[in-house]
């Protein structure tokens, strides 16, 4: 599937006037679909209980004295909230910052592991090595360079903070009340030792479960320079294999994370 991305780039490079839509149509023979995997940023965007939320300030909005419409806004937010990137430096000193992550780690074939049934029974569910091995039994080995996406079903709870995070409280005391699924550290070790994924993403607020106190899966993945994508949306629209993921964060110099616009290209045949 990485060849698909290279082919898309080649089509655009050969004809600079070609739009991404035209390039995708050329690659997939006109049969494809764009899937937006990012939640919009607004006053209702979910952030970690200790993080500053998204704020938008109106600078100008309306018809100017010159007779034309003009609008402009200021915004501010923490790096980690809404659909966003976790750069390896977030939990691993000296590792890649948001602006230094190679583009090859931000795009690739999407592998979707569906654990909704288990997460529905246990909101603290840990996606384990057994879940990954079951996926491979059904679909084959996780390809090198793939982006592993964990579908817990949690995005259906967005933007209800209580149902999504397990608490709607804010501040340091709220962290101990968080409940949502995440990646088992043992599975993170397995991915680092046994597979070569480009990144890991999921539809909850953290790669680690809400009950985590040490964020071990973050530490394990990030020490190996594997970034994470959190609070993804619309994973229900992706098949287990066949989609191509393109995830482009804001390029914040030295950042430990950044808001993320993630999209998938889904051939209609899938």
């Amino acid at each position: 599937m990485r060849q698909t991305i290279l082919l898309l780039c080649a089509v655009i490079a050969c004809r600079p006037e070609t739009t991404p839509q035209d390039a995708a149509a050329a690659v997939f023979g006109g049969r494809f679909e764009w899937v937006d995997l990012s939640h919009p940023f607004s006053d209702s965007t979910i952030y970690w209980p200790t993080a500053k939320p998204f704020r938008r300030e109106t600078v100008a909005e309306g018809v100017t004295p010159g007779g034309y419409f003009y609008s402009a806004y200021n915004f501010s937010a923490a790096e980690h909230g809404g659909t966003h990137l976790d750069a390896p430096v977030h939990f691993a000193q000296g590792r890649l910052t948001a602006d230094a992550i190679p583009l090859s780690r931000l795009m690739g074939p999407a592998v979707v592991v569906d654990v909704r049934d288990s997460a529905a029974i246990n909101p603290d569910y840990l996606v384990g090595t057994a879940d990954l091995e079951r996926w491979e039994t059904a679909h084959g080995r996780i390809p090198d360079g793939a982006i592993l996406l964990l579908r817990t079903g949690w995005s259906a709870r967005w933007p209800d903070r209580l149902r999504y995070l397990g608490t709607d409280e804010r501040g340091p005391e709220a962290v101990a009340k968080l409940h949502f699924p995440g990646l088992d550290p043992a599975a993170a070790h397995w991915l680092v030792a046994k597979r070569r994924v480009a990144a890991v993403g999921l539809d909850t607020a953290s790669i680690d479960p809400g009950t985590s106190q040490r964020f071990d899966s973050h530490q394990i993945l990030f020490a190996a320079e594997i970034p994470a994508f959190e609070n993804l949306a619309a994973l229900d629209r992706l098949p287990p294999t066949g989609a191509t993921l393109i995830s482009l964060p804001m390029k914040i110099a030295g950042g430990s994370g950044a808001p993320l616009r993630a999209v998938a290209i889904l051939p209609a045949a899938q």
Side-chain angles (χ1 to χ4, degrees), residues 23-211:
V27 171
F28 294 115
R31 301 186 304 277
F32 72 95
E33 179 182 1
W34 293 103
V35 181
D36 191 341
L37 303 179
S38 297
H39 293 289
F41 284 85
S42 70
D43 292 344
S44 64
T45 297
I46 295 174
Y47 281 76
W48 202 253
T50 56
K52 291 185 178 180
F54 181 88
R55 292 285 183 264
R56 190 180 77 154
E57 171 193 4
T58 299
V59 176
E61 185 176 52
V63 178
T64 69
Y68 56 87
F69 178 82
Y70 173 75
S71 64
Y73 310 91
N74 294 327
F75 76 88
S76 62
E79 289 177 322
H80 302 276
T83 304
H84 70 281
L85 161 82
D86 273 8
V89 76
H90 188 34
F91 276 90
Q93 186 176 13
R95 296 303 195 266
L96 292 169
T97 55
D99 58 314
I101 297 173
L103 291 176
S104 60
R105 285 201 172 272
L106 300 175
M107 55 185 74
V111 164
V112 183
V113 176
D114 191 339
V115 297
R116 285 173 300 155
D117 291 343
S118 298
I121 296 170
N122 177 13
D124 301 319
Y125 185 71
L126 293 174
V127 183
T129 305
D131 293 301
L132 304 180
E133 291 177 334
R134 275 193 294 271
W135 187 95
E136 290 195 332
T137 297
H139 304 287
R141 181 186 172 94
I142 296 172
D144 290 352
I147 297 177
L148 174 63
L149 301 178
L150 309 177
R151 181 187 176 193
T152 71
W154 241 243
S155 64
R157 303 175 179 223
W158 185 279
D160 186 326
R161 289 179 57 85
L162 178 59
R163 296 186 63 238
Y164 194 80
L165 295 178
T167 179
D168 59 2
E169 298 179 21
R170 298 179 185 271
E173 66 283 351
V175 175
K177 301 177 182 180
L178 295 173
H179 290 279
F180 50 79
L183 180 66
D184 190 329
H189 273 301
W190 184 85
L191 286 168
V192 170
K194 304 293 187 180
R195 298 295 180 267
R196 296 179 61 188
V197 297
V200 178
L202 79 177
D203 53 1
T204 75
S206 173
I207 285 292
D208 282 282
T211 55

